[in-house]
Amino acid sequence: MQSIRSINGRARVALVTAAALLLLPAACGDETSHDGRPGPVTDHFDQESRHNDADIAFLQGMIPHHRQAVEMAALAESRARNADVKMLAEQIKLVQAAEITQLNAWLTEWNAPVPSPAAAVHGQHDTVPGMATEQKLADLENAEGAEFDRAFLEMMIGHHEGARQMAVTEQREGQHPGVRELATRIEKAQGNEIEQMRRTQAN
């Protein structure tokens, strides 16, 4: 009989693999024209390099948003009682940490300012949808067991709803295909996690 530890270990590896696969660039497709002749390769790279202010605003808002989610999720390992809460928190931590790397890379490539780590806590809750206040984070850090589970689920649902709002705006107003594709994935994935968290709340 396999131990719970070995099962959890494989689950963690699977989550890391899934996070990495989420960030693989979409296939470029066949670089051919409608008449079957090879198309200009530079067209693809020109398209990928185009971005606008909405793309930059999305990245600069989502980085501190993801950092805060990772910070909240990290608390669950030692404070949560519910196994579903712990597994969900681990999934959030792994996937969103991987996405932060990609968000940072785009801003760096475009010579745009990258938010400082402190922005995940200080001065963002009133400008970035779903961000928790410092007091809320302190309350979560001081909670344990069932109290932590309840507070975590409530806060993370609101946090995810804020991220989905930002992602919808990016899909509507953004220009860069890679950023818009990531926004689409964030909207869908976090919507699924909201449903999962609400089911956990109901149990």
Side-chain angles (χ1 to χ4, degrees):
M1 181 176 178
Q2 293 176 311
S3 68
I4 293 176
R5 178 173 297 179
S6 66
I7 294 172
N8 287 340
R10 288 202 306 275
R12 181 171 298 186
V13 170
L15 286 173
V16 173
T17 302
L21 289 174
L22 279 174
L23 294 178
L24 286 175
C28 297
D30 186 12
E31 294 288 348
T32 58
S33 61
H34 293 297
D35 59 5
R37 293 177 299 176
V41 177
T42 53
D43 285 353
H44 171 71
F45 293 102
D46 288 345
Q47 182 184 23
E48 285 296 313
S49 67
R50 297 192 189 107
H51 61 276
N52 60 14
D53 290 344
D55 295 319
I56 293 176
F58 173 74
L59 299 177
Q60 291 176 334
M62 194 58 75
I63 287 172
H65 202 276
H66 271 16
R67 283 174 177 161
Q68 189 177 78
V70 170
E71 179 181 346
M72 292 164 60
L75 297 173
E77 184 175 357
S78 61
R79 292 169 173 79
R81 174 184 298 175
N82 188 304
D84 290 337
V85 171
K86 287 189 175 185
M87 182 61 73
L88 175 66
E90 184 72 5
Q91 175 180 318
I92 290 170
K93 185 170 62 174
L94 291 172
V95 171
Q96 296 201 22
E99 289 176 350
I100 288 170
T101 300
Q102 178 61 74
L103 300 170
N104 278 323
W106 273 316
L107 288 178
T108 301
E109 178 184 348
W110 301 339
N111 294 317
V114 176
S116 70
V121 179
H122 303 288
Q124 294 288 317
H125 63 270
D126 56 348
T127 58
V128 178
M131 290 282 282
T133 64
E134 291 184 61
Q135 184 60 56
K136 286 282 190 180
L137 290 174
D139 292 343
L140 183 66
E141 189 171 1
N142 291 328
E144 292 184 2
E147 180 186 0
F148 176 90
D149 295 339
R150 286 192 297 269
F152 176 84
L153 291 171
E154 180 181 350
M155 289 176 63
M156 194 60 79
I157 287 172
H159 205 268
H160 274 28
E161 287 173 341
R164 296 186 78 230
Q165 178 182 335
M166 295 163 64
V168 168
T169 299
E170 165 60 21
Q171 292 170 67
R172 184 176 63 247
E173 301 178 2
Q175 182 178 6
H176 189 274
V179 179
R180 294 177 72 237
E181 180 184 353
L182 178 59
T184 301
R185 292 204 304 267
I186 288 173
E187 182 195 3
K188 181 177 180 180
Q190 298 206 14
N192 291 338
E193 288 177 352
I194 286 173
E195 292 180 4
Q196 180 181 347
M197 287 187 280
R198 286 178 174 155
R199 288 194 299 269
T200 302
Q201 283 180 319
N203 293 336

